[in-house]
Amino acid sequence: MKRKPTIHEVAERAGVGIGTVSRVLNNHPAVRPETRARVLKAMEELGYTPNPHARRIAGGRSYTVSVLLPFVATEFYRRLLEGLEGVLLEKRYDLALFPILSLARLERYLESTTLAYLTDGLILASYDLSERFEGGRLPTDRPVVLVDAKNPQYDSVYLDNRLGGRMAGAYLARFPGAVFAIKVEEEPDRVFRHTVFSERMAGFREALLEAGRPFPEDHLYVTRLSPEGGRLALRHFLEKASPPINVFAGADQVALGVLEEAQRLGLTPGKEVRVLGYDGHPFTEELGLSTVAQPVEAMGARAAQLLLERMQGYAGPPRAVRFEPTLIERSSTAPSKEAPYVP
Amino acid sequence: MKRKPTIHEVAERAGVGIGTVSRVLNNHPAVRPETRARVLKAMEELGYTPNPHARRIAGGRSYTVSVLLPFVATEFYRRLLEGLEGVLLEKRYDLALFPILSLARLERYLESTTLAYLTDGLILASYDLSERFEGGRLPTDRPVVLVDAKNPQYDSVYLDNRLGGRMAGAYLARFPGAVFAIKVEEEPDRVFRHTVFSERMAGFREALLEAGRPFPEDHLYVTRLSPEGGRLALRHFLEKASPPINVFAGADQVALGVLEEAQRLGLTPGKEVRVLGYDGHPFTEELGLSTVAQPVEAMGARAAQLLLERMQGYAGPPRAVRFEPTLIERSSTAPSKEAPYVP
DNA sequence: CTGAAAGCGCTTACAG
DNA sequence: CTGAAAGCGCTTACAG
């Protein structure tokens, strides 16, 4: 395999100095359009791509951003990364992912030796770090943006999960039949714990209360995040009440299992068993699963923008960007078009 | 926050040239022990740590290794990384983790722009890549080592899962009562599919056959990898046969659910329900869960060694290192000490 | 608008 | 065994 072309070869081919090549690389305005075009062409022909290590050494920027995220494999993080990547790649930034498998690892990430620390900025997903670090601040001088989490010390992009829970409660309260809910359990051994599931459930209870609908304790089923948890939950609920019943599944993954089990039992979703998910993941559409949708990609994109601004020197106070969920009604709660939902 | 110290400051403090500092950094033999000691002391006092970007630029090595692994959060990968880190950190190499969320991402990892590609070597975990890339080779000129996977083109470290399945089958065949098994389903949308669960089950069936024990089709329950899957499985099995029954759970995670459900139903593990897991994860010990244990940490360590050799220039033919599992008998299959298992 | 030069933090022959 | 120098692939004032 032959060596990667360098800036020198590009310069030679384009008939310019290496400084000029560097300028087009960095979108410096002081380059004549024709010159720029020639350089771009040379890069194209050579298959040139800049060496981030050299950029880091020379200019102090490596054009890569670290994303620290929980080591849980869900559609949520897939979508979040899509949102982040969308805006970052466009600005020619690269992402380095750092799944947090343990606290020791997180700390190592933040040590100065590791590459993670040597990137230009950090996105921290889903963790409330205030309890873990002194003063709630990460030991880094790089800009940091939180997403799916909130902290007064950093720019944060988050969803109002309590509102989402309230929407779910108000919606299901309209229907006849008992109301049930599934709460996703936080893993006890998870390095950091996030509170999204509790928040959803708190909002849900509030809304039911306001609607005057009873919600006895044994109408709540707690399980880990898995479709099988949803299956077990539905079996449990059917021992408590007869159809029609209404189930707020707390997460689309779990709602999927409720649908699977309903089908196995010959119960019609949207009729005998109304199921409402949470997340708005792509797969809900083809399943006809009603859901409280989070604009995950948009949240990721926004977080990336905030970080970009910080990396470009913005030094204002921490910003908190709040997103709201949307309830999407599909056949799992409303088989017919007769009664479209109007909040 | 003040700037990181550089090699120059270390040199000055130690009263030597920067070349000498670099030599002790790289364990070059031609350094007088006293000089080395002085330099080390200066580094210590300054809190010096070398800049990997500069090292990469200057010497062609960044002392970081990329680990590409599936984005599935299991104890298995946690242990694997421990094994890898153990030997790599000792040799002053750093790890960069690249969870493979999608095929597009894998390909981007391997493009020359990204940091992943710019590390010194690659560890690829659990994926059989022969179907995905032309000629079964990754588009990189860095050394590559596979772990928990096997490919004739690369150094591979793998477990004999078929043997593990056979051991499980031969072991459970000794007991009275019907034999059941849980097969973990491969996620259809997983970028690459690994075959470990099928291999285990194939070995299991073989051993039962050889032992003359029947294994009807409906004694196999298929589920995703989750404790809840194990709970559903046990309920299913108990509709097919009365205790005592024997369950090969295929994975410790799933076996955990079988134990949970047995407890819920008031059935005694090791007596009414014998449960055998697979993986040998740490949590099995305190649960008293019998399991077919994989030496995951050792596999990781071995893979790291192979990669280290390659990075140091070893150019021999691909090596395949096979590991064997061990059956650990605990109370979930043998409540008393009366009949210790001797294969 | 552009080139030549200095410098980023290292490594590595080259001399001594 | 060790220092001084050249060079890795870039960026960025500095002159023009």
Side-chain angles (χ1 to χ4, degrees), chain B residues 5-332:
Chain B
T6 73
I7 203 174
H8 288 97
E9 296 162 57
V10 175
E12 188 178 20
R13 187 178 192 102
V16 299
I18 62 162
T20 299
V21 176
S22 179
R23 276 177 211 108
V24 347
L25 230 36
N26 294 289
N27 285 315
H28 191 106
V31 179
R32 211 155 26 118
E34 309 142 42
T35 316
R36 173 185 304 278
R38 241 182 323 138
V39 171
L40 253 16
K41 182 153 169 289
M43 296 206 260
E44 177 72 45
E45 291 169 354
L46 256 27
Y48 170 80
T49 143
N51 182 324
H53 291 115
R55 301 185 89 176
R56 183 61 166 140
I57 280 296
R61 265 180 305 186
S62 56
Y63 288 89
T64 109
V65 162
S66 299
V67 181
L68 310 194
L69 73 174
F71 190 48
V72 291
T74 62
E75 187 67 17
F76 180 86
Y77 292 106
R78 215 180 294 264
R79 292 173 62 198
L80 189 65
L81 285 166
E82 247 174 61
L84 288 166
E85 273 190 329
V87 352
L88 253 15
L89 291 186
E90 196 196 346
K91 296 289 181 191
R92 295 167 145 283
Y93 273 82
D94 223 323
L95 301 198
L97 269 38
F98 292 85
I100 303 176
L101 292 95
S102 67
L103 188 58
R105 189 173 301 275
L106 207 214
E107 283 172 352
R108 223 162 44 61
Y109 283 161
L110 297 169
E111 278 171 19
S112 45
T113 327
T114 63
L115 278 177
Y117 181 89
L118 298 169
T119 57
D120 304 341
L122 295 179
I123 299 273
L124 185 61
S126 300
Y127 287 137
D128 173 21
L129 34 73
S130 44
E131 333 169 341
R132 286 291 177 169
F133 292 94
E134 258 183 83
R137 292 196 64 84
L138 292 171
T140 173
D141 57 350
R142 300 285 193 285
V144 174
V145 171
L146 308 192
V147 61
D148 188 39
K150 204 183 160 190
N151 186 295
Q153 313 235 31
Y154 294 107
D155 289 344
S156 307
V157 175
Y158 66 98
L159 185 88
D160 191 335
N161 273 292
R162 183 174 205 124
L163 173 62
R166 293 184 59 94
M167 293 165 68
Y171 176 69
L172 288 186
R174 310 165 56 227
F175 295 111
V179 177
F180 294 91
I182 307 172
K183 178 170 183 236
V184 176
E185 192 175 27
E186 326 277 343
E187 301 273 348
D189 62 335
R190 189 76 53 78
V191 183
F192 291 69
R193 43 184 58 246
H194 51 177
T195 53
V196 296
F197 297 117
S198 312
E199 288 163 19
R200 289 174 199 176
M201 217 38 75
F204 184 74
R205 283 177 195 273
E206 277 174 23
L208 282 190
L209 195 67
E210 288 171 18
R213 294 291 301 258
F215 188 68
E217 215 30 70
D218 66 350
H219 280 211
L220 182 72
Y221 189 88
V222 180
T223 180
R224 302 181 192 85
L225 184 64
S226 70
E228 289 74 22
R231 296 184 57 181
L232 287 165
L234 180 56
R235 293 195 192 180
H236 177 79
F237 296 156
L238 290 170
E239 288 169 10
K240 304 288 174 189
S242 310
I245 65 169
N246 307 287
V247 178
F248 175 44
D252 286 341
Q253 273 296 315
V254 177
L256 168 60
V258 176
L259 286 180
E260 286 178 0
E261 190 66 16
Q263 181 178 28
R264 223 186 63 98
L265 298 173
L267 297 171
T268 309
K271 204 165 165 189
E272 282 136 317
V273 178
R274 292 192 195 84
V275 190
L276 178 62
Y278 197 110
D279 283 330
H281 289 327
F283 72 79
T284 57
E285 180 159 11
E286 76 184 273
L287 289 177
L289 177 62
S290 299
T291 185
V292 178
Q294 313 193 51
V296 185
E297 293 85 351
M299 289 166 63
R302 194 79 187 83
Q305 285 163 353
L306 294 181
L307 185 62
L308 241 17
E309 291 169 15
R310 291 284 176 192
M311 293 190 301
Q312 283 159 198
Y314 174 73
R319 297 161 290 180
V321 180
R322 175 174 160 277
F323 275 78
E324 292 192 357
T326 319
L327 197 147
I328 300 177
E329 186 172 49
R330 297 203 182 94
S331 61
S332 77

Side-chain angles (χ1 to χ4, degrees), chain A residues 181-196:
Chain A
I182 306 171
K183 180 171 181 237
V184 176
E185 191 177 26
E186 328 276 342
E187 301 272 350
D189 63 333
R190 188 76 52 79
V191 183
F192 293 69
R193 45 184 56 247
H194 51 177
T195 54
V196 296

